[in-house]
Amino acid sequence: MHKLLVICGPTGTGKTDIALTLAKKFDGEIVSADSRQVYIGMDIGTGKESQGTVSSEQKAGGKIQKESGKWVFDQIPVYLYDIVKPDERFSLAEYQQLALEKIKDIHSRNKLPILVGGTGLYIQAVTEGLKIPKVAPDQRLREELEHQKLEDLLLELEKVDPNYFEKVDKNNKRRIIRALEVYRQTGESFSSLQKRYKVPFEILKIGLTCERENLYDRNDIRVEKWFETGFVEEVKNLLKDYSIDLPAMTSLGYRQVAAYIKGNLGLNEAKQRIKFDLHGYIRRQLTWFKRDQSIYWYDILVENLENEVAELVSQWLKASESDRI
């Protein structure tokens, strides 16, 4: 059976760095599982240009190439970066289809696909074979719901679909609206329609984490580096072509920086709000991933982390080889 390696966990834990190391060691290629890295022009605030993965030396040395639908880091491709513009709709079903196509393509070349990211629903869609409801978008209904308060939408969702209410990111208005749209069109809850099929590969899931306060500190430093490496300029460029009210622009940090650019927030206050929101996002990510008992967790602060993870992957690959003999 084909294999799929998954590297998951909260933001700022160096998932892509570890994945690149493993890809070089085990002849792999990476598929991103991040709901914001799909957007063209949104690089710094979504972590595509994180300090760890994309160093100034790498950029200067030409080791990073940006191509349509992927970036290449020192000859290792990372797929599903830069596939839609911020004003284009992109659904979970579309992501699932593209990710599965890339995984199949990687398998066809006898390489190891490595699914990497912190968007739990994206990972679940691929690894658990979610059958995503095929309910056409209702633009009029979406506009109606968009004008309602988030608190009111959450109250309705809790009433009609308590299972999905427990899992959904309570700050992701787009996903909440989609769940209500499905319910209003079908009379059935979003969660009840999310059936599953058996995925055609063997999966190893590795989670990266550390103590929560350390995660907060690491991400606070990340936010400061975003600003040092041109985050304000990135948002200025986006605002030339796109409205700040687009769903894509709800990505962490973008609206706060837009408020700073417009003079509605001071720089320090914008940074503090981003850090506060990022802490909340980390808590939600931890809650999501901790439910998955199949994940092998590693503390990113331990010595020899890369060696320990590589040893587990090596044993997993060897076990499959022996099963075929």
Side-chain angles (χ1 to χ4, degrees):
M1 180 179 286
H2 286 306
K3 290 186 165 292
L4 174 65
L5 176 61
V6 178
I7 309 293
C8 61
T11 188
T13 48
K15 296 182 291 294
T16 304
D17 290 344
I18 287 283
L20 287 167
T21 299
L22 296 173
K24 291 175 183 177
K25 187 175 181 66
F26 298 108
D27 194 21
E29 296 182 355
I30 296 170
V31 179
S32 171
D34 188 293
S35 63
R36 301 306 183 181
Q37 292 176 342
V38 299
Y39 293 113
I40 297 167
M42 299 177 68
D43 300 341
I44 296 173
T46 63
K48 282 184 281 188
E49 291 201 1
S50 63
Q51 277 301 105
T53 302
V54 188
S55 67
S56 57
E57 291 80 8
Q58 285 176 310
K59 290 177 185 176
K63 292 187 177 182
I64 308 301
Q65 291 91 41
K66 299 181 183 181
E67 302 177 16
S68 178
K70 71 176 180 180
W71 287 17
V72 181
F73 296 81
D74 199 11
Q75 300 185 333
I76 302 295
V78 180
Y79 298 104
L80 304 191
Y81 279 4
D82 294 355
I83 55 178
V84 291
K85 296 177 181 178
D87 60 350
E88 295 175 330
R89 289 195 174 276
F90 186 71
S91 69
L92 176 63
E94 289 172 303
Y95 169 78
Q96 183 190 50
Q97 180 179 348
L98 288 174
L100 290 173
E101 287 174 357
K102 290 300 179 186
I103 290 167
K104 183 178 180 180
D105 174 60
I106 295 167
H107 281 147
S108 73
R109 290 181 279 106
N110 295 315
K111 292 179 178 289
L112 175 67
I114 307 175
L115 187 68
V116 182
T119 302
L121 190 56
Y122 274 24
I123 292 172
Q124 184 183 26
V126 173
T127 62
E128 297 183 20
L130 291 185
K131 290 186 177 179
I132 301 163
K134 293 183 179 180
V135 175
D138 183 332
Q139 194 59 41
R140 182 177 297 178
L141 175 59
R142 288 186 174 188
E143 290 176 1
E144 174 192 327
L145 295 174
E146 187 66 45
H147 285 92
Q148 294 185 27
K149 293 181 179 179
L150 179 60
E151 295 81 1
D152 294 336
L153 296 176
L154 285 169
L155 285 172
E156 181 179 353
L157 181 62
E158 186 176 21
K159 181 179 179 180
V160 302
D161 193 350
N163 289 331
Y164 191 66
F165 174 82
E166 288 298 319
K167 296 187 296 183
V168 73
D169 177 351
K170 303 298 189 296
N171 291 310
N172 193 323
K173 195 172 186 179
R174 181 176 57 172
R175 285 188 186 158
I176 294 164
I177 287 175
R178 175 57 177 167
L180 293 174
E181 177 184 49
V182 169
Y183 175 77
R184 291 196 186 186
Q185 288 195 42
T186 66
E188 298 184 63
S189 67
F190 187 70
S191 57
S192 69
L193 293 172
Q194 287 186 315
K195 299 175 183 178
R196 289 171 169 76
Y197 59 88
K198 187 174 182 179
V199 294
F201 27 73
E202 181 183 341
I203 299 169
L204 173 65
K205 295 180 183 177
I206 292 172
L208 302 180
T209 190
C210 63
E211 292 292 330
R212 190 174 294 184
E213 290 304 319
N214 284 326
L215 282 174
Y216 294 165
D217 291 342
R218 288 171 62 89
N219 280 281
D220 287 352
I221 293 170
R222 261 179 102 219
V223 171
E224 294 293 340
K225 288 181 177 178
W226 288 354
F227 283 87
E228 292 171 11
T229 54
F231 192 27
V232 173
E233 285 304 312
E234 177 172 287
V235 179
K236 282 182 180 178
N237 288 332
L238 288 166
L239 291 175
K240 292 176 184 177
D241 299 314
Y242 305 111
S243 167
I244 194 59
D245 295 322
L246 289 170
M249 300 295 274
T250 62
S251 303
L252 285 165
Y254 286 85
R255 287 192 171 174
Q256 293 90 335
V257 173
Y260 162 66
I261 291 169
K262 294 178 180 179
N264 298 326
L265 278 182
L267 181 59
N268 287 334
E269 186 178 359
K271 289 180 180 179
Q272 286 305 120
R273 290 193 182 186
I274 295 170
K275 292 173 184 178
F276 179 80
D277 289 347
L278 197 52
H279 295 179
Y281 180 55
I282 289 167
R283 291 192 295 273
R284 294 191 296 275
Q285 285 180 304
L286 288 170
T287 298
W288 177 284
F289 287 118
K290 287 298 183 181
R291 293 196 301 256
D292 189 341
Q293 298 301 308
S294 67
I295 298 174
Y296 290 83
W297 287 101
Y298 286 85
D299 189 321
I300 60 174
L301 300 181
V302 301
E303 294 183 13
N304 300 317
L305 170 65
E306 290 184 355
N307 290 337
E308 288 189 20
V309 173
E311 179 61 26
L312 176 64
V313 175
S314 179
Q315 291 176 4
W316 173 61
L317 293 172
K318 287 177 181 177
S320 295
E321 287 296 328
S322 64
D323 288 344
R324 290 200 295 267
I325 296 174

Short mmCIF file of all heavy atoms in Angstrom, two decimals, residues 4-9 15 18 22 115 117 123 203-209 289 294-298 305 308-313 316:
data_model
loop_
_atom_site.label_atom_id
_atom_site.label_comp_id
_atom_site.label_asym_id
_atom_site.label_seq_id
_atom_site.Cartn_x
_atom_site.Cartn_y
_atom_site.Cartn_z
N LEU A 4 1.71 7.71 3.22
CA LEU A 4 1.58 9.16 3.36
C LEU A 4 2.09 9.54 4.74
O LEU A 4 1.58 9.06 5.76
CB LEU A 4 0.12 9.60 3.21
CG LEU A 4 -0.16 11.09 3.48
CD1 LEU A 4 0.54 11.97 2.44
CD2 LEU A 4 -1.66 11.37 3.48
N LEU A 5 3.10 10.40 4.77
CA LEU A 5 3.63 10.93 6.02
C LEU A 5 2.97 12.28 6.29
O LEU A 5 2.87 13.12 5.38
CB LEU A 5 5.14 11.09 5.94
CG LEU A 5 5.85 11.72 7.13
CD1 LEU A 5 5.66 10.89 8.39
CD2 LEU A 5 7.34 11.91 6.84
N VAL A 6 2.51 12.49 7.52
CA VAL A 6 1.85 13.74 7.90
C VAL A 6 2.65 14.41 9.01
O VAL A 6 3.00 13.77 10.01
CB VAL A 6 0.40 13.49 8.39
CG1 VAL A 6 -0.25 14.81 8.82
CG2 VAL A 6 -0.42 12.81 7.30
N ILE A 7 2.95 15.69 8.83
CA ILE A 7 3.59 16.50 9.86
C ILE A 7 2.61 17.61 10.24
O ILE A 7 2.29 18.46 9.40
CB ILE A 7 4.92 17.13 9.40
CG1 ILE A 7 5.83 16.08 8.78
CG2 ILE A 7 5.59 17.86 10.56
CD1 ILE A 7 6.34 15.05 9.75
N CYS A 8 2.10 17.58 11.48
CA CYS A 8 1.06 18.53 11.88
C CYS A 8 1.40 19.15 13.23
O CYS A 8 2.42 18.84 13.84
CB CYS A 8 -0.30 17.84 11.93
SG CYS A 8 -0.39 16.48 13.11
N GLY A 9 0.52 20.02 13.69
CA GLY A 9 0.72 20.69 14.97
C GLY A 9 0.43 22.17 14.87
O GLY A 9 0.12 22.69 13.79
N LYS A 15 7.23 22.98 11.34
CA LYS A 15 6.77 21.78 10.62
C LYS A 15 7.41 21.66 9.24
O LYS A 15 7.84 20.58 8.84
CB LYS A 15 5.23 21.83 10.49
CG LYS A 15 4.50 21.75 11.82
CD LYS A 15 2.99 21.75 11.62
CE LYS A 15 2.45 23.07 11.12
NZ LYS A 15 2.60 24.17 12.10
N ILE A 18 11.18 20.63 9.42
CA ILE A 18 11.34 19.19 9.66
C ILE A 18 10.98 18.40 8.40
O ILE A 18 11.65 17.44 8.02
CB ILE A 18 10.45 18.73 10.83
CG1 ILE A 18 11.01 19.23 12.17
CG2 ILE A 18 10.30 17.21 10.85
CD1 ILE A 18 12.18 18.45 12.68
N LEU A 22 13.20 15.69 6.26
CA LEU A 22 12.74 14.33 5.99
C LEU A 22 12.61 14.07 4.49
O LEU A 22 12.90 12.95 4.02
CB LEU A 22 11.40 14.09 6.68
CG LEU A 22 11.41 14.15 8.21
CD1 LEU A 22 9.99 14.08 8.75
CD2 LEU A 22 12.26 13.03 8.79
N LEU A 115 2.49 15.36 3.86
CA LEU A 115 1.42 16.36 4.05
C LEU A 115 1.76 17.18 5.28
O LEU A 115 1.90 16.64 6.38
CB LEU A 115 0.09 15.65 4.21
CG LEU A 115 -1.18 16.51 4.27
CD1 LEU A 115 -1.44 17.17 2.92
CD2 LEU A 115 -2.38 15.66 4.68
N GLY A 117 1.10 20.77 7.66
CA GLY A 117 0.34 21.98 7.94
C GLY A 117 -0.34 21.98 9.29
O GLY A 117 -0.28 21.00 10.04
N ILE A 123 -6.19 18.48 6.85
CA ILE A 123 -5.53 17.20 7.08
C ILE A 123 -6.57 16.09 7.23
O ILE A 123 -6.43 14.99 6.67
CB ILE A 123 -4.63 17.28 8.32
CG1 ILE A 123 -3.44 18.21 8.03
CG2 ILE A 123 -4.13 15.90 8.75
CD1 ILE A 123 -2.58 18.53 9.22
N ILE A 203 -0.81 5.61 6.67
CA ILE A 203 -0.48 6.95 7.15
C ILE A 203 0.30 6.90 8.46
O ILE A 203 -0.03 6.13 9.37
CB ILE A 203 -1.77 7.78 7.36
CG1 ILE A 203 -2.53 7.91 6.03
CG2 ILE A 203 -1.46 9.15 7.94
CD1 ILE A 203 -3.93 8.46 6.19
N LEU A 204 1.32 7.73 8.55
CA LEU A 204 2.02 7.99 9.81
C LEU A 204 1.88 9.48 10.10
O LEU A 204 2.26 10.32 9.28
CB LEU A 204 3.50 7.62 9.71
CG LEU A 204 4.37 8.02 10.92
CD1 LEU A 204 3.94 7.25 12.18
CD2 LEU A 204 5.85 7.79 10.64
N LYS A 205 1.32 9.80 11.27
CA LYS A 205 1.13 11.21 11.66
C LYS A 205 2.11 11.58 12.77
O LYS A 205 2.16 10.92 13.81
CB LYS A 205 -0.30 11.45 12.15
CG LYS A 205 -1.37 11.27 11.10
CD LYS A 205 -2.75 11.54 11.70
CE LYS A 205 -3.85 11.30 10.68
NZ LYS A 205 -5.20 11.48 11.30
N ILE A 206 2.86 12.63 12.54
CA ILE A 206 3.80 13.16 13.52
C ILE A 206 3.36 14.57 13.91
O ILE A 206 3.16 15.42 13.03
CB ILE A 206 5.23 13.16 12.95
CG1 ILE A 206 5.72 11.73 12.76
CG2 ILE A 206 6.18 13.94 13.86
CD1 ILE A 206 7.03 11.61 12.03
N GLY A 207 3.22 14.81 15.21
CA GLY A 207 2.82 16.13 15.69
C GLY A 207 3.97 16.82 16.40
O GLY A 207 4.72 16.19 17.14
N LEU A 208 4.12 18.10 16.13
CA LEU A 208 5.17 18.91 16.77
C LEU A 208 4.53 19.91 17.71
O LEU A 208 3.56 20.59 17.35
CB LEU A 208 5.99 19.65 15.70
CG LEU A 208 6.67 18.79 14.64
CD1 LEU A 208 7.45 19.66 13.67
CD2 LEU A 208 7.59 17.75 15.28
N THR A 209 5.06 20.00 18.91
CA THR A 209 4.49 20.91 19.90
C THR A 209 5.53 21.23 20.97
O THR A 209 6.68 20.77 20.89
CB THR A 209 3.23 20.29 20.54
OG1 THR A 209 2.56 21.28 21.32
CG2 THR A 209 3.57 19.09 21.40
N PHE A 289 -6.01 18.98 17.37
CA PHE A 289 -5.08 17.88 17.12
C PHE A 289 -5.01 16.89 18.29
O PHE A 289 -4.77 15.70 18.07
CB PHE A 289 -3.68 18.42 16.82
CG PHE A 289 -3.56 19.04 15.45
CD1 PHE A 289 -3.23 20.38 15.30
CD2 PHE A 289 -3.77 18.28 14.31
CE1 PHE A 289 -3.12 20.94 14.04
CE2 PHE A 289 -3.66 18.84 13.04
CZ PHE A 289 -3.34 20.18 12.91
N SER A 294 -3.98 9.02 16.98
CA SER A 294 -3.01 8.35 16.12
C SER A 294 -1.74 9.16 15.91
O SER A 294 -0.79 8.68 15.27
CB SER A 294 -3.64 8.04 14.76
OG SER A 294 -3.92 9.25 14.05
N ILE A 295 -1.69 10.37 16.45
CA ILE A 295 -0.52 11.24 16.25
C ILE A 295 0.59 10.87 17.22
O ILE A 295 0.37 10.72 18.42
CB ILE A 295 -0.91 12.72 16.41
CG1 ILE A 295 -1.95 13.13 15.36
CG2 ILE A 295 0.33 13.62 16.30
CD1 ILE A 295 -2.48 14.54 15.54
N TYR A 296 1.82 10.77 16.71
CA TYR A 296 3.01 10.61 17.55
C TYR A 296 3.56 12.01 17.83
O TYR A 296 4.03 12.70 16.91
CB TYR A 296 4.09 9.78 16.83
CG TYR A 296 3.75 8.32 16.67
CD1 TYR A 296 2.93 7.89 15.62
CD2 TYR A 296 4.24 7.37 17.56
CE1 TYR A 296 2.61 6.54 15.47
CE2 TYR A 296 3.94 6.02 17.42
CZ TYR A 296 3.12 5.63 16.37
OH TYR A 296 2.82 4.29 16.21
N TRP A 297 3.52 12.41 19.09
CA TRP A 297 3.89 13.78 19.44
C TRP A 297 5.37 13.90 19.82
O TRP A 297 5.92 13.04 20.50
CB TRP A 297 3.03 14.29 20.60
CG TRP A 297 1.63 14.60 20.18
CD1 TRP A 297 0.52 13.83 20.36
CD2 TRP A 297 1.19 15.77 19.46
NE1 TRP A 297 -0.58 14.43 19.81
CE2 TRP A 297 -0.20 15.63 19.25
CE3 TRP A 297 1.84 16.91 18.98
CZ2 TRP A 297 -0.96 16.60 18.59
CZ3 TRP A 297 1.09 17.86 18.31
CH2 TRP A 297 -0.28 17.71 18.12
N TYR A 298 5.98 15.02 19.39
CA TYR A 298 7.37 15.33 19.72
C TYR A 298 7.46 16.76 20.23
O TYR A 298 6.88 17.68 19.64
CB TYR A 298 8.28 15.17 18.50
CG TYR A 298 8.53 13.73 18.11
CD1 TYR A 298 7.63 13.05 17.29
CD2 TYR A 298 9.65 13.05 18.58
CE1 TYR A 298 7.85 11.73 16.94
CE2 TYR A 298 9.87 11.73 18.23
CZ TYR A 298 8.97 11.07 17.41
OH TYR A 298 9.19 9.77 17.06
N LEU A 305 15.89 16.30 17.97
CA LEU A 305 14.52 16.14 17.50
C LEU A 305 14.49 15.54 16.10
O LEU A 305 13.76 14.57 15.85
CB LEU A 305 13.81 17.50 17.50
CG LEU A 305 12.43 17.53 16.80
CD1 LEU A 305 11.43 16.67 17.54
CD2 LEU A 305 11.94 18.97 16.67
N GLU A 308 15.34 11.85 16.07
CA GLU A 308 14.29 11.00 16.65
C GLU A 308 13.13 10.82 15.67
O GLU A 308 12.61 9.71 15.50
CB GLU A 308 13.78 11.61 17.96
CG GLU A 308 14.77 11.50 19.12
CD GLU A 308 14.15 11.91 20.44
OE1 GLU A 308 12.89 11.90 20.52
OE2 GLU A 308 14.90 12.23 21.37
N VAL A 309 12.73 11.92 15.04
CA VAL A 309 11.63 11.83 14.08
C VAL A 309 12.05 10.99 12.88
O VAL A 309 11.28 10.13 12.41
CB VAL A 309 11.19 13.24 13.62
CG1 VAL A 309 10.17 13.15 12.49
CG2 VAL A 309 10.61 14.03 14.79
N ALA A 310 13.26 11.20 12.40
CA ALA A 310 13.75 10.44 11.25
C ALA A 310 13.82 8.95 11.56
O ALA A 310 13.53 8.11 10.69
CB ALA A 310 15.12 10.96 10.81
N GLU A 311 14.18 8.59 12.79
CA GLU A 311 14.25 7.19 13.17
C GLU A 311 12.86 6.54 13.14
O GLU A 311 12.70 5.40 12.67
CB GLU A 311 14.86 7.05 14.57
CG GLU A 311 14.96 5.62 15.08
CD GLU A 311 15.82 4.72 14.22
OE1 GLU A 311 16.72 5.24 13.53
OE2 GLU A 311 15.58 3.49 14.24
N LEU A 312 11.86 7.26 13.63
CA LEU A 312 10.49 6.73 13.58
C LEU A 312 10.05 6.52 12.14
O LEU A 312 9.46 5.48 11.80
CB LEU A 312 9.54 7.68 14.30
CG LEU A 312 8.05 7.30 14.24
CD1 LEU A 312 7.80 5.96 14.95
CD2 LEU A 312 7.17 8.39 14.84
N VAL A 313 10.31 7.50 11.29
CA VAL A 313 9.92 7.38 9.88
C VAL A 313 10.65 6.22 9.23
O VAL A 313 10.05 5.44 8.47
CB VAL A 313 10.21 8.70 9.13
CG1 VAL A 313 9.91 8.53 7.63
CG2 VAL A 313 9.38 9.84 9.70
N TRP A 316 9.08 2.97 10.25
CA TRP A 316 7.76 2.84 9.60
C TRP A 316 7.93 2.38 8.15
O TRP A 316 7.22 1.48 7.69
CB TRP A 316 7.06 4.20 9.67
CG TRP A 316 5.79 4.33 8.93
CD1 TRP A 316 4.63 3.63 9.09
CD2 TRP A 316 5.51 5.28 7.88
NE1 TRP A 316 3.67 4.07 8.23
CE2 TRP A 316 4.16 5.09 7.48
CE3 TRP A 316 6.26 6.29 7.27
CZ2 TRP A 316 3.57 5.86 6.48
CZ3 TRP A 316 5.68 7.05 6.28
CH2 TRP A 316 4.35 6.84 5.89
#
